[in-house]
Every structure is written in structure tokens, then in C-alpha cells.
């Protein structure tokens, strides 16, 4: 499995290769392994406040990226937590692009 640095680099590469920046800031909390924060096209590991905070284990992030775990099922069962469900739903296309970047598909 990738470490936090490799995960961050994959997301950063998505934006460097022309991926559209985010309209809002997102912090991905990998539950004890660190954070990846995206604001616009800037990607850091800073645990600064964000418009949307997504908390998920790396194992579940992998399953989400592969399509093996449904995001709604993960949210209902507590495997995925979001700070603002309405904002999360509106940003879903951008979040999916990040997941694809994370898995190396973008």
C-alpha cells in the first residue's frame, strides 16, 4: 500500500496534469495515518480547517476508489464520515476525480 506521501503525490499529480481545481477546500482524514488537504489545486498534508472534512480509513478509501464500497453504505455504517453531507453531495464529481487520482486512474 502507498504511504501518505505517495497518496499526496498522486493527488497532486492529478492537478499538475490539468485536473480542475476544487471550488471548495476538502480535507481527507485517513484516520490516524494523516491528512490530505486540497484547496483549489494546492495539495498539502496540513490539518488546517476545510469546507468539507471526509474521514475514512485507508482500507475503505481503497475500496471506494475501486468501486467495491458504495459511499452511501459507507456513510450509513460509519465507515465514511463527512462534515457536511449537502456539500459532499454537491462536490461528488470533484471528489470522484480525487478518488480516481488517488487510485492512479486519472
Amino acid at each position: 500500500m502507498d504511504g501518505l506521501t505517495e497518496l499526496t503525490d498522486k493527488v497532486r499529480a492529478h492537478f499538475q496534469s490539468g485536473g480542475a481545481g476544487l471550488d471548495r477546500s476538502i480535507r481527507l482524514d485517513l484516520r490516524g495515518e494523516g491528512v490530505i488537504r486540497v484547496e483549489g489545486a494546492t495539495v498539502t498534508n496540513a490539518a488546517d480547517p476545510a469546507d468539507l472534512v471526509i474521514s475514512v480509513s485507508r482500507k475503505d478509501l481503497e475500496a471506494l476508489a475501486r468501486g467495491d464500497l458504495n459511499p452511501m453504505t459507507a456513510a450509513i455504517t460509519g465507515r465514511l464520515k463527512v462534515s457536511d453531507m449537502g456539500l459532499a453531495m454537491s462536490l461528488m464529481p470533484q471528489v470522484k476525480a480525487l478518488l480516481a487520482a488517488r487510485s492512479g486512474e486519472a
Side-chain angles (χ1 to χ4, degrees):
M1 270 193 207
D2 295 341
L4 182 62
T5 301
E6 288 84 6
L7 292 173
T8 304
D9 288 345
K10 284 183 179 181
V11 173
R12 189 175 287 123
H14 166 74
F15 294 110
Q16 291 174 343
S17 67
L22 299 179
D23 299 338
R24 307 290 286 272
S25 60
I26 296 177
R27 187 177 76 217
L28 180 61
D29 178 352
L30 294 175
R31 295 191 178 163
E33 295 187 51
V35 301
I36 299 173
R37 186 176 185 282
V38 180
E39 185 165 7
T42 302
V43 181
T44 68
N45 295 114
D48 296 334
D51 297 317
L52 177 63
V53 178
I54 302 170
S55 179
V56 63
S57 70
R58 188 187 327 190
K59 178 182 173 187
D60 287 337
L61 177 65
E62 298 278 341
L64 287 164
R66 287 190 310 269
D68 295 340
L69 178 61
N70 179 292
M72 291 307 286
T73 301
I76 291 169
T77 60
R79 293 168 65 180
L80 172 74
K81 294 184 181 180
V82 295
S83 61
D84 183 330
M85 185 59 79
L87 180 57
M89 295 304 288
S90 71
L91 293 175
M92 189 57 70
Q94 294 172 323
V95 171
K96 283 184 178 182
L98 283 179
L99 289 175
R102 189 270 152 268
S103 63
E105 297 169 9

